[in-house]
Amino acid sequence: MNKMTYFLRELVDSDKDMIFQWRNAEEVRVNMFSNHPIRYEEHCRWFEDAMHNSNYFRVFIGPDKPLGFVSFKKTVKDECVWGFYVGEQDAPKGTGTIMTTLAIDYAFYQLHMNKIIGEVLIFNKKSKGLHRKLGFEKEGVYQNQQGQIHRFVLSKEKVKSRNEE
């Protein structure tokens, strides 16, 4: 896969129905903290809010179509919790790695974050593995209504020092 043909872009109005379909797909929904089927009206309200905070939401574009979605929720001045998913069932192998690598760069160098936090449901082995592969360190575990959550952290300093080696 050529990374140059992949990029993140801001949300546009025409993304609303596509993201609604992706978010309600069983394989995406099962790994979300809020894993109930989303009603269209609920999605429309969320999408309208997202459009007003568009710096924190990105669509991941592949060579010929949108493939996934990334969000950032600012927690304190220079830290955010991120979320992401590949929405297209026929996305090429490795899409998640490229999408999240671009998202890390976006968070650090466009949003000027110094720390990205990933929160992953205990049974989501794929996401836990991806976080480790990207250099995130496990910071702890906590419990919510969906079950046990693993918290991963990646600092800008760690990425900078790794790139300088």
Side-chain angles (χ1 to χ4, degrees), residues 11 45-57:
L11 292 177
R45 283 191 303 275
W46 170 86
F47 192 83
E48 187 64 33
D49 288 344
M51 290 293 285
H52 289 94
N53 294 302
S54 61
N55 285 343
Y56 295 99
F57 300 95

Side-chain angles (χ1 to χ4, degrees), residues 91-106:
K93 185 172 174 37
T95 294
T97 301
I98 293 172
M99 177 177 66
T100 51
T101 300
L102 290 172
I104 289 168
D105 287 347
Y106 179 77

Side-chain angles (χ1 to χ4, degrees), residues 73-102:
K73 181 179 180 188
K74 194 172 182 176
T75 55
V76 295
K77 180 182 170 200
D78 61 355
E79 296 180 9
C80 65
V81 175
W82 74 340
F84 55 86
Y85 52 84
V86 173
E88 285 298 316
Q89 296 303 306
D90 63 349
K93 185 172 174 37
T95 294
T97 301
I98 293 172
M99 177 177 66
T100 51
T101 300
L102 290 172

Side-chain angles (χ1 to χ4, degrees), residues 1 3 12 14 20 26 29 53 55 88 95 97 101-102 107 130 134 138 144 152 156:
M1 267 192 271
K3 275 183 161 178
V12 295
S14 60
F20 175 71
E26 178 68 22
R29 207 168 28 83
N53 294 302
N55 285 343
E88 285 298 316
T95 294
T97 301
T101 300
L102 290 172
L130 180 59
L134 294 168
K138 188 172 172 186
N144 78 4
F152 294 91
K156 187 176 187 177

